[in-house]
Amino acid sequence: MLMQIVLFDGFDPLDVIAPFEVLAAGADLAGRPQDEVRLVAAHGPGEVTGATRGLGLRATAALDPAAPGYVIVPGAGGAVAEIPAILGRVARSALIAQVRAALDAPGVTVATVCGGSLALALAGLLRGRPAVTHTLGMDALAAAGARPVRARVVDDGDLVTAGGVSSGLDLGLHLVEREYGPRVAIAVQELFEYERRGTAWRDAGAEPVG
């Protein structure tokens, strides 16, 4: 299984590093070191500059939208006023065709952290689908045609979205539990000394009354 975390110019570093470390720890503790966590980019290998004081990370490969596993799209970082422009560029980039292909591919789950879901919504990929993003972007998410859900993690099967920047940890742990089970997820929580926040929302169960 391949877990691909996408880099683009202006990405938020924590959106990338948090799920990377959690997923890598999950694979190791599950005894599945062959499950690779890989940094990728639409354009292939190379250095990609993040939004936090020029911090860069290196993509080691091009995104493979057909590879079974997970494709994780982070949000943008930097000054709040600059983030919509960065996400807009992502929504118009070559990455979108690859993410669309991943959503259509069997055995692939697309996940997002923070503004990653908003970039996909702006590109028309989340119409009618439940999703969450940073609290500052929830109205824009609705305007782009998604169904905003105020939860830390929203699991809609082949699409899993997470809220604000630190929710990358919660997304990673949710995916670890999905893939390897709750025992491994708890072991990762203990290793990181972090407890997941909130309940992962799914379109299931009784509707609350009153």
Side-chain angles (χ1 to χ4, degrees), residues 29 173 176 181-192 194 196:
L29 288 170
L173 286 163
V176 165
R183 293 183 180 89
V184 173
I186 289 171
V188 175
Q189 287 184 186
E190 291 176 346
L191 178 65
F192 281 48
Y194 175 81
R196 272 181 285 182

Side-chain angles (χ1 to χ4, degrees), residues 26-129:
D28 290 344
L29 288 170
R32 297 256 297 269
Q34 72 274 17
D35 288 354
E36 183 181 357
V37 187
R38 181 186 294 175
L39 298 183
V40 301
H43 54 71
E47 191 80 9
V48 183
T49 303
T52 305
R53 301 198 175 192
L55 176 66
L57 293 173
R58 180 170 180 78
T60 59
L63 171 62
D64 180 355
Y70 296 91
V71 173
I72 300 171
V73 181
V80 171
E82 298 170 357
I83 289 175
I86 298 172
L87 295 178
R89 286 196 295 272
V90 174
R92 297 186 299 273
S93 73
L95 173 63
I96 295 304
Q98 295 173 319
V99 174
R100 182 180 288 109
L103 284 167
D104 291 338
V108 179
T109 295
V110 172
T112 66
V113 184
C114 198
S117 59
L118 185 52
L120 301 190
L122 291 170
L125 298 187
L126 303 191
R127 288 194 182 97
R129 301 200 66 169

Side-chain angles (χ1 to χ4, degrees), residues 160-188:
V160 183
T161 56
V165 181
S166 62
S167 68
L169 290 165
D170 302 289
L171 174 72
L173 286 163
H174 179 70
L175 298 182
V176 165
E177 182 172 355
R178 268 184 47 153
E179 192 63 33
Y180 304 120
R183 293 183 180 89
V184 173
I186 289 171
V188 175

